[in-house]
Amino acid sequence: MVYDLEMIKQFYAAYNTKVNNVRISLGRALTLAEKILYSHLYSEYALKEFERGKDYINFRPNRVAMQDATAQMALLQFMNSGKNTSAVPATVHCDHLIQAYKGARIDLSIANKSNKEVYDFLKSVASKYGIGFWKPGAGIIHQVVLENYAFPGGMMVGTDSHTPNAGGLGMIAIGVGGADAVDVMTGMEWELKMPKIIGVNLKGKLNGWASSKDVILKLAGILTVKGGTNAIIEYFGEGASSISATGKATICNMGAEVGATTSIFPFDNEINDYLKATGRKEVAEMAQSVSADLKADKEVYMNPEKYYDRIIEINLSVIEPYINGPFTPDAACPISEFKQKVVENGYPQKMEVGLIGSCTNSSYQDLSRAASLIRQVKAKGVKMASPLLVNPGSELVYCTSKRDGMIADFELAGAVIMTNACGPCIGQWKRETDNPTRANSIVTSFNRNFAKRADGNPNTHAFVASPEIATALAIAGDLCFNPLTDCLTNEKGEKIRLTPPTGNKLPEMGFTVDDKGYIAPSEEGNDVEVVLNPNSDRLQILSPFASWDGKDMKDMPLLIKTKGKCTTDHISMAGPWLRYRVTISKNGCQI
């Protein structure tokens, strides 16, 4: 099924003409980011050369995606807009409120009970206002968007910082706050400062233990957590076309960790194949028909320094696995130097838990490569030294991986399969530990590793790596283990080496799923009643703001000023704090 097909048809029918008009008006060649940005101007009459990093522009995105934690306030606001339906296609994804504890079946049951009033509210509002609803357990928002909604050349906003994941399919996708999403859903202008554009030229081809995750981990070390601020990272080069669509998404996803507005790859055969594999042949064919404008103009690639504000080159053929951290995702370290870093800094050497999944690394290919290592546990007579937790990205990924034997492989080795949800990546992890404040080390395939983020323990040293490296270190149970060079001792006392991971970009027998978990909105939205408990301590109907009196507010007090590495975890914490994303007025107090 292709969602929003008519909108996509209209988009592609006008895309070439819009881009050509921009090219003529500006009188120069265009980068891919510029083609998409300028073709989404709110008013075509506003077309002119905008100064990057300075001018503020009004845009008209094609769609909106919301996760369940941030959707609550956004939809409460939208209910006051006076609109009967969203002006653009929109979806709600229930992925953030599910706590990882015992495993998918138990955890999902608990979440459905503890979050019932939130889920009922979101489902009813979505049904009433023409918004698609993805049930708890259906998958992580960004993986579901990649499988169903992202399309080359489009523009979307999402109420989550890792919305740029859709850049893996050549889409400008930007994380925003709930109020911005409401602007788009009501058909209003959406404002953004014209981003600068960083060009990343990828050369060569990944091989051995190296993966797409290592590309962005290396780049994080180059740019740091603020080097991409107010910029779009645009990838190009021979290496870009060799990376799978989901691998591209991994790279774009974690562009958020360098502060980038978003990241994007040009349309190529990998993206074309992924669209077809996920049931969107029509979209692939439409994209193919305008493919010349789903990448930068030839002159840009011939003279990139003239069109990009900064150019970075990365040779995929020689890149090695990276392990970043602890406590910040830009503390990049190649695995060949990691042992020395661990020893010199006195990090806890025992690797206590390996975690693979999250919106960054939960695709079929990710699980496929990790499973190739897990199979070696039995085949080579070794045992898992540390627990391994796995969060598949979607029900589509889970069902396909189960059919292909990968889920059984993980479980046979002792891994715990968690719900298709964010889980530990955002602090939704009820970790069983002997001491919740003890210094310890974990390795994840997530995107962020700030203090306390995964489990609430400020002394958990969380390191970010690829699913392959997280799995290998869970097998070894030792941070200082380098699978590229080191041996393990099996049950017979023999020295063995782990063979480099292998896996399929796409399932050989195609994707399969029993129930995607999607609920379409009612065709009679006016008849749908919003479900909201008046005694709730989590939700409350908002009173509309008074009409503007025509006077601007002046001399407003500054409530808080931050400095240093102030992260989203400081501003809007996850974990148990997700319950309080909506302000409740109760007994004269604001909760």
Side-chain angles (χ1 to χ4, degrees):
M1 176 181 179
V2 180
Y3 299 94
D4 315 319
L5 183 57
E6 289 306 312
M7 178 272 286
I8 296 174
K9 285 181 177 179
Q10 293 175 22
F11 168 80
Y12 282 122
Y15 182 69
N16 271 154
T17 299
K18 285 186 176 183
V19 171
N20 196 46
N21 288 341
V22 174
R23 195 181 288 111
I24 293 171
S25 178
L26 302 189
R28 61 174 177 81
L30 302 171
T31 67
L32 172 60
E34 288 177 315
K35 291 180 180 184
I36 300 176
L37 289 171
Y38 278 97
S39 66
H40 283 85
L41 292 176
Y42 191 81
S43 171
E44 294 180 10
Y45 299 107
L47 178 56
K48 66 171 187 176
E49 181 85 57
F50 294 107
E51 185 175 349
R52 298 176 189 172
K54 182 178 179 180
D55 291 338
Y56 281 87
I57 323 297
N58 290 326
F59 292 103
R60 192 189 296 271
N62 301 109
R63 64 170 294 105
V64 172
M66 296 167 281
Q67 41 99 331
D68 48 356
T70 49
Q72 297 169 54
M73 181 61 82
L75 293 180
L76 285 167
Q77 293 177 11
F78 182 77
M79 289 167 61
N80 283 331
S81 69
K83 302 291 185 179
N84 293 323
T85 187
S86 174
V88 300
T91 47
V92 172
H93 304 260
C94 296
D95 62 353
H96 272 56
L97 300 180
I98 303 169
Q99 187 179 56
Y101 181 36
K102 292 294 187 181
R105 184 180 61 82
I106 294 175
D107 296 348
L108 184 56
S109 176
I110 293 173
N112 279 324
K113 292 176 182 176
S114 61
N115 300 308
K116 186 178 186 304
E117 62 177 314
V118 173
Y119 294 151
D120 287 347
F121 166 74
L122 294 175
K123 179 181 176 182
S124 62
V125 174
S127 186
K128 184 175 183 65
Y129 293 103
I131 299 168
F133 181 79
W134 290 81
K135 298 184 295 185
I140 304 171
I141 177 173
H142 309 305
Q143 181 66 29
V144 173
V145 166
L146 198 74
E147 293 169 356
N148 297 279
Y149 298 109
F151 62 94
M155 174 186 273
M156 69 172 285
V157 297
T159 61
D160 188 90
S161 54
H162 292 100
T163 299
N165 192 79
L169 289 191
M171 190 177 204
I172 290 286
I174 302 173
V176 299
D180 288 62
V182 174
D183 285 348
V184 176
M185 291 167 64
T186 57
M188 292 174 60
E189 304 95 331
W190 178 64
E191 187 181 68
L192 177 72
K193 181 187 287 188
M194 191 67 172
K196 293 185 177 182
I197 306 176
I198 298 172
V200 178
N201 185 1
L202 299 179
K203 298 183 176 182
K205 188 175 182 180
L206 293 169
N207 61 84
W209 283 88
S211 73
S212 57
K213 183 64 166 287
D214 300 307
V215 177
I216 188 60
L217 292 177
K218 179 180 176 67
L219 187 63
I222 296 171
L223 290 174
T224 77
V225 290
K226 63 179 181 180
T229 304
N230 293 328
I232 290 177
I233 301 175
E234 183 174 319
Y235 295 88
F236 64 95
E238 58 177 312
S241 60
S242 70
I243 298 174
S244 68
T246 52
K248 291 177 171 70
T250 290
I251 294 170
C252 291
N253 176 292
M254 210 174 149
E257 275 57 66
V258 299
T261 301
T262 193
S263 303
I264 192 169
F265 277 83
F267 179 74
D268 60 18
N269 289 335
E270 296 290 346
I271 295 175
N272 184 67
D273 290 346
Y274 186 79
L275 286 169
K276 291 180 178 178
T278 50
R280 291 173 287 173
K281 182 180 178 181
E282 290 175 271
V283 178
E285 291 173 346
M286 286 185 280
Q288 197 71 53
S289 71
V290 298
S291 60
D293 280 328
L294 293 176
K295 56 186 176 183
D297 288 333
K298 290 182 179 179
E299 185 179 332
V300 174
Y301 295 144
M302 293 173 62
N303 302 285
E305 66 284 344
K306 182 179 177 182
Y307 295 94
Y308 295 110
D309 296 285
R310 179 179 178 180
I311 298 174
I312 298 170
E313 290 189 357
I314 296 177
N315 187 344
L316 303 183
S317 296
V318 299
I319 196 172
E320 62 178 297
Y322 270 71
I323 303 177
N324 289 21
F327 308 128
T328 181
D330 59 348
C333 185
I335 196 167
S336 60
E337 301 172 12
F338 190 63
K339 178 179 179 179
Q340 181 180 353
K341 178 179 178 179
V342 171
V343 173
E344 289 182 350
N345 289 279
Y347 298 146
Q349 185 174 333
K350 181 182 179 182
M351 209 288 278
E352 299 204 7
V353 186
L355 303 100
I356 62 176
S358 88
C359 61
T360 313
N361 280 118
S362 56
S363 68
Y364 181 87
Q365 183 184 21
D366 290 323
L367 298 191
S368 177
R369 285 173 62 85
S372 74
L373 296 172
I374 285 294
R375 293 187 194 102
Q376 296 180 48
V377 171
K378 179 181 179 181
K380 297 185 178 182
V382 295
K383 290 185 177 181
M384 297 288 296
S386 301
L388 181 67
L389 309 184
V390 182
N391 282 85
S394 68
E395 187 67 4
L396 185 73
V397 169
Y398 171 77
C399 287
T400 306
S401 300
K402 184 178 180 180
R403 179 202 64 195
D404 293 348
M406 291 190 286
I407 298 300
D409 290 332
F410 281 117
E411 292 178 331
L412 183 63
V416 178
I417 308 300
M418 296 295 183
T419 314
N420 311 320
C422 303
C425 183
I426 60 158
Q428 287 284 50
W429 182 18
K430 189 176 180 180
R431 184 179 179 185
E432 296 182 274
T433 176
D434 57 343
N435 184 344
T437 62
R438 176 176 54 82
N440 71 101
S441 294
I442 63 174
V443 179
T444 82
S445 69
F446 304 161
N447 41 55
R448 292 179 179 167
N449 57 346
F450 305 123
K452 301 175 66 175
R453 180 173 176 89
D455 61 0
N457 180 355
N459 298 310
T460 292
H461 293 59
F463 297 90
V464 177
S466 66
E468 299 92 322
I469 293 300
T471 302
L473 293 187
I475 294 172
D478 184 354
L479 277 189
C480 293
F481 174 70
N482 181 351
L484 283 72
T485 59
D486 298 345
C487 293
L488 295 170
T489 302
N490 68 10
E491 295 172 318
K492 296 179 180 179
E494 301 167 332
K495 297 291 185 180
I496 64 99
R497 291 275 297 274
L498 293 176
T499 305
T502 58
N504 296 320
K505 295 178 179 179
L506 295 167
E508 293 180 353
M509 295 187 289
F511 283 106
T512 186
V513 66
D514 300 326
D515 176 9
K516 276 190 173 184
Y518 175 73
I519 299 177
S522 171
E523 295 183 0
E524 302 294 335
N526 290 333
D527 298 332
V528 176
E529 182 178 350
V530 173
V531 178
L532 198 157
N533 180 1
N535 298 316
S536 172
D537 64 353
R538 296 179 69 173
L539 294 163
Q540 188 175 77
I541 295 293
L542 301 179
S543 299
F545 290 115
S547 299
W548 184 46
D549 61 5
K551 299 178 182 178
D552 290 333
M553 294 182 179
K554 298 181 178 180
D555 300 320
M556 300 295 289
L558 182 65
L559 298 180
I560 187 170
K561 185 176 182 179
T562 65
K563 63 179 181 179
K565 275 191 177 179
C566 179
T567 72
T568 53
D569 283 11
H570 297 102
I571 299 167
S572 184
M573 291 172 280
W577 299 102
L578 287 177
R579 289 179 59 87
Y580 304 106
R581 285 297 177 98
V582 175
T583 300
I584 302 294
S585 297
K586 205 166 189 178
N587 300 323
C589 297
Q590 299 292 314
I591 302 176

